[in-house]
Amino acid sequence: MTNILGVHQTDFANNLAKTDGDIADLTAEVVAATLADAGIGADAVESIHVGNAFGQLYTGQGHLGAMPATVEPALWGVPAMRHEAACASSSMAVLAGMAEIEAGRYDCVLVLGIEQEKTMPGGPAAAVQTAAAWVGHETEGIEFFWPYAFERVAGEYDRRYGIDEQHLRAIGELNLRNAKANPNAQTRAWALTPESFQADDEANPIVEGRLRRNDVTQITDGAAGVVLVSDRWLAEHGRSARSVIGGWGHTTVGLPIHQKFERSSDSDYVMPHVRRAITDAFDRAGIGGTDQLDAIETHDCMTPSEYMAIDHFGITAPGESWKAIEEGRLERDGDMPVNPSGGLIGGGHPVGATGARMLVDATKQVSGTAGDYQVDGAERVATLNIGGSTATTACFVVEAADR
């Protein structure tokens, strides 16, 4: 069993460049705060895994597995490595840390997700992330590729089942509203009006096709960390975990979006490999479906990715995600709260940190420490983290340590 001993998320509203900070400062903050939350010193860490997607492209800095030891001398000599899988980078780092613990290689592993993105203007910063697509094959002539890609996801739903753009607007509105209660959310201080969630070309301008500004995540600086420990470590140190990772799923498919639609043409699900990652996590956790979850933190890089997650989790039948939206089921006080933290649209999306951040929030929920965005009685929370156009998908089931 892999346990989570401590967690930390930086303030995703911070802009490092405005305070003369850099990725080393971000690393130093998340290392120190994560270890403090776990109640251990750096000398307890036996292995380190760093999730980062675009370090060289945004900052010029690579070799980020060595950054923790650079900023924390007590980590000198501790084995470390960096993982890259676009938006799922830190989920891959978590899986690697879990594997080491389950193999008995190490008993205390520090996992970090780190990304500094606000090093250039918004347009070029967004263009950097095109590197997670099939460059030169599906990206040519497209100004904002990821809004374009998830507009195509919405279009595929429209072709198969029909889709109402107002349901996409409602997802953006819910997540931005939820973020108001999250003290680390990037958009918590935004001034929004009803027009911000309508087809209003001034308050909510078009980005790509049917996707408007508040259907899309922001460029974000931020980091998140978790300390993973074995059952043996807890017993030897007389400690209790903050949460337990009860199950996981991981699938990887090809890069281009069109391949995914072609290969799912005979499936009820638009992305059946995403559904498989979810059901694999459920199977490993020994649960039968979402009726045994208390909340979900899912990947809403764009509103269509959350629309997809709703039916792929089984909250509704395939193609009927709109029903859960209309019925209020996704609200923090609904029967299946989704993104009570504000998710990516409300909370922020420092790409390489997102998977770890989801585990931070899942841990807060099941340990009753989520503050103003706590879901009452939450004991089991799932996360869904995707890289690229779902080329890499990871799902975790996080449970209260005393279940």
Side-chain angles (χ1 to χ4, degrees):
M1 186 71 70
T2 300
N3 307 279
I4 296 180
L5 186 68
V7 299
H8 181 73
Q9 176 193 336
T10 66
D11 184 348
F12 283 7
N14 284 348
N15 183 327
L16 288 168
K18 287 186 176 181
T19 58
D20 295 322
D22 61 16
I23 201 164
D25 299 308
L26 191 60
T27 305
E29 176 185 349
V30 73
V31 167
T34 304
L35 295 179
D37 188 73
I40 60 173
D43 58 347
V45 175
E46 299 170 356
S47 176
I48 304 168
H49 294 271
V50 178
N52 174 269
F54 304 117
Q56 291 97 318
L57 297 177
Y58 279 123
T59 70
Q61 180 63 61
H63 206 173
L64 288 169
M67 188 59 77
T70 302
V71 300
E72 173 47 73
L75 295 175
W76 198 273
V78 176
M81 63 184 79
R82 170 192 171 184
H83 302 262
E84 186 279 309
C87 310
S89 295
S90 55
S91 287
M92 300 302 101
V94 169
L95 286 172
M98 290 174 63
E100 288 182 330
I101 286 172
E102 291 162 7
R105 183 176 293 181
Y106 303 114
D107 289 301
C108 182
V109 178
L110 174 64
V111 179
L112 307 172
I114 303 168
E115 204 80 62
Q116 181 183 9
E117 300 178 352
K118 292 189 170 185
T119 58
M120 56 187 72
V128 162
Q129 297 181 17
T130 303
W134 196 11
V135 177
H137 293 264
E138 61 173 345
T139 60
E140 298 306 296
I142 301 168
E143 184 177 8
F144 299 112
F145 180 79
W146 292 113
Y148 162 82
F150 284 94
E151 154 67 14
R152 290 192 63 187
V153 172
E156 186 66 11
Y157 267 96
D158 201 9
R159 186 184 71 80
R160 295 188 188 194
Y161 299 109
I163 196 168
D164 186 335
E165 294 176 18
Q166 285 304 310
H167 295 129
L168 300 180
R169 301 292 98 79
I171 288 171
E173 189 274 334
L174 173 62
N175 293 342
L176 285 160
R177 175 161 41 86
N178 281 348
K180 294 289 186 183
N182 183 347
N184 289 316
Q186 184 174 9
T187 69
R188 63 185 184 270
W190 281 19
L192 300 166
T193 66
E195 289 74 26
S196 302
F197 308 106
Q198 297 173 6
D200 186 306
D201 290 342
E202 182 174 343
N204 196 21
I206 292 172
V207 177
E208 179 71 39
R210 73 196 82 200
L211 300 191
R212 294 176 175 269
R213 180 169 61 198
N214 290 329
D215 291 293
V216 177
T217 52
Q218 302 300 303
I219 298 299
T220 314
D221 293 345
V226 299
V227 173
L228 306 176
V229 295
S230 65
D231 290 340
R232 178 172 58 190
W233 191 97
L234 292 175
E236 288 178 353
H237 292 81
R239 296 287 304 277
S240 298
R242 287 280 299 278
S243 67
V244 175
I245 299 178
W248 57 271
H250 173 205
T251 57
T252 306
V253 298
L255 287 167
I257 187 77
H258 71 85
Q259 279 187 349
K260 301 172 178 73
F261 297 147
E262 290 167 0
R263 293 176 70 96
S264 71
S265 60
D266 60 351
S267 173
D268 291 336
Y269 294 97
V270 171
M271 302 288 187
H273 59 282
V274 173
R275 172 66 178 168
R276 194 184 111 202
I278 293 168
T279 56
D280 282 353
F282 286 179
D283 290 346
R284 290 185 173 107
I287 64 174
T290 53
D291 61 331
Q292 294 173 264
L293 298 176
D294 298 305
I296 291 169
E297 282 288 332
T298 197
H299 202 96
D300 58 313
C301 58
M302 317 283 164
T303 53
S305 63
E306 181 169 331
Y307 194 88
M308 175 192 69
I310 294 166
D311 66 1
H312 284 51
F313 264 108
I315 299 172
T316 70
E320 296 182 357
S321 298
W322 60 273
K323 291 184 177 180
I325 298 166
E326 285 196 354
E327 293 166 2
R329 298 179 61 195
L330 313 182
E331 298 281 345
R332 197 177 291 135
D333 60 357
D335 73 288
M336 184 43 59
V338 173
N339 287 342
S341 68
L344 284 63
I345 288 175
H349 184 30
V351 172
T354 287
R357 192 279 305 163
M358 290 177 174
L359 289 177
V360 170
D361 274 314
T363 294
K364 289 180 177 180
Q365 289 291 345
V366 302
S367 60
T369 58
D372 290 342
Y373 61 99
Q374 179 70 49
V375 173
D376 288 344
E379 294 188 339
R380 183 184 283 127
V381 176
T383 71
L384 179 66
N385 181 209
I386 62 176
S389 57
T390 74
T392 301
T393 301
C395 179
F396 294 97
V397 176
V398 179
E399 301 175 343
D402 57 355
R403 275 190 69 86

